[in-house]
Every structure is written in C-alpha cells, then in structure tokens.
Amino acid sequence: MTDMFHAASASGSGGGSWLSALADWLVTLMETIGPIGAAIAVGLESLFPPIPSEAVLPVAGLAASRGSFTLAEAIGWTTFGSVAGAYLLYGLGRVLGAERLTRVAEKMPLMKGEDVTKTVAWFDRHGSAAVFFGRMVPLFRSLISIPAGVSKMRWWKFGLLTAAGSLIWNSIFVLAGFFLGENWHIVEQYAGVFQNIVIVVVVLLVAWFLFVRIRAAVRDRRSGPA
C-alpha cells in the first residue's frame, strides 16, 4: 500500500518536487498513526499557511480510499485538526489584544493606531461572516483566527463558525482525493489557480495601501514648514 501512495504522489507532483516530498511525509504519517495523522497535518497547515491545504486534504481522501481509515474519519479528523490549529492562533490574538497591537502600530512606519481600532470595529460588525467564509479562502484560512482573538469573539461562537467553514472546505478536498485516487494532484492544480488569484489581490491591496500612506506622508512633510 505504501508503494501505491508513493507512486501516486510522485506521478502527481513531478517526482522530486517539494509537493511530492510533502505528500510522501503525509502518507507515512497517516499510515503510521491513522486519521489522527491527518488531523496533525491539517493542524500544521492551519498554523503555517505556506503548507497548502489543497495538497494535505486530498491525500487524506486518498488514504481513506485505500482503506487506511474511513471517509467519515478523514473528514472528521481533518476538521478537528483545522479547529485545533485555529484555536491556537485565536489564543495568540487574545494574548496580543487590541491595546498592545495599537501601541505596536503607532511605532511602525506608515501605520497608525487607528488602523487597529478600525479593523477591530469592522470585525465586530462582520466577524461571523469573516470567520465562516474565511475558512474557505487560501491564506485567510489561518490569518482570520488572529483578529477573531483580538476582537475577543466568544470562544464557542468562533469554534462553531470555524468548524462549519472548515467542514465544508475539508469535505470538498477530501472527497476529491477519495474519488480521484491516484489523480488527486489534479485538485491541487486547480486550487492553485484560486490561491494565486487571492495572492494577486492581496498584493494589489497592500500596494495601494502603501501608495496612499506614502503620498499622505509626503504631503504632510511638504506642508509642515508652511
């Protein structure tokens, strides 16, 4: 069975690519400790966004299709891992707090303390939707947990919204890996396009933010002596 998994990951990722190495490691982890390995892998993906969920979750579905554990266990444990990882980042946000982040922002170039205040206020109004839908958007899947902690969203509400959003996202990719089998890498290819779009949008927004702040700083400096 191990040989089948390694053949699948090699054929799907170009042999020696980092994705192939990741798939091999995930396979070994899941074969060694069962569905708990899938939960650990997804928990790490929540903590470290560079680890792509579109590679982790289909492998869990592939393992289920090969009989390492059931499909229900794959979906259940990966969702548990998502929630566990999200709670760690939520706790980080609670520890940092709005006041501490405001002080940090005041000392950073091009940043203002009111940026934190406005972000918290926005999250207080739209936090539920942000947490739920954020679990289905690359990069934001992990990062959305931090402002939830900063704004002190109720822990049980955060858990329910995270679990619901993660269940939908995880089920899609686990089922894809389950039914595609050795062709699980097809999922990663199409999901990668979506992730690249998100990255481009984020880069454009950051560039616009920097442009506006730099222009304002230059204008203030020129008008200062007058």
Side-chain angles (χ1 to χ4, degrees), residues 15-159:
S17 69
W18 71 271
L19 185 57
S20 175
L22 175 63
D24 288 343
W25 177 77
L26 292 174
V27 166
T28 302
L29 182 66
M30 294 177 194
E31 285 190 326
T32 303
I33 58 179
I36 298 178
I40 294 174
V42 174
L44 292 175
E45 176 266 325
S46 297
L47 294 174
F48 304 103
I51 300 178
S53 62
E54 60 268 21
V56 176
L57 295 170
V59 172
L62 174 62
S65 71
R66 293 300 181 185
S68 295
F69 38 80
T70 66
L71 180 60
E73 287 177 319
I75 295 176
W77 280 100
T78 54
T79 301
F80 174 81
S82 296
V83 175
Y87 263 124
L88 292 176
L89 294 177
Y90 171 85
L92 176 62
R94 291 290 292 247
V95 170
L96 291 175
E99 294 183 3
R100 184 173 299 176
L101 287 178
T102 300
R103 292 195 297 269
V104 172
E106 291 287 359
K107 299 177 181 179
M108 295 180 63
L110 304 179
M111 293 290 292
K112 301 177 181 179
E114 65 183 24
D115 293 334
V116 177
T117 303
K118 290 180 179 179
T119 300
V120 172
W122 179 90
F123 199 90
D124 288 338
R125 295 192 301 270
H126 310 286
S128 297
V131 171
F132 176 75
F133 291 106
R135 295 303 303 178
M136 292 175 269
V137 180
L139 300 181
F140 291 96
R141 284 171 46 77
S142 301
L143 300 179
I144 196 63
S145 302
I146 297 178
V150 172
S151 66
K152 297 182 179 180
M153 173 181 281
R154 293 183 180 181
W155 65 270
W156 60 266
K157 183 178 182 180
F158 171 78

Side-chain angles (χ1 to χ4, degrees), residues 12-13 18-19 52 54-55 58 173 184-193:
S13 310
W18 71 271
L19 185 57
E54 60 268 21
F173 284 91
W184 64 271
H185 60 278
I186 296 175
V187 181
E188 190 275 333
Q189 294 174 359
Y190 285 100
V193 175

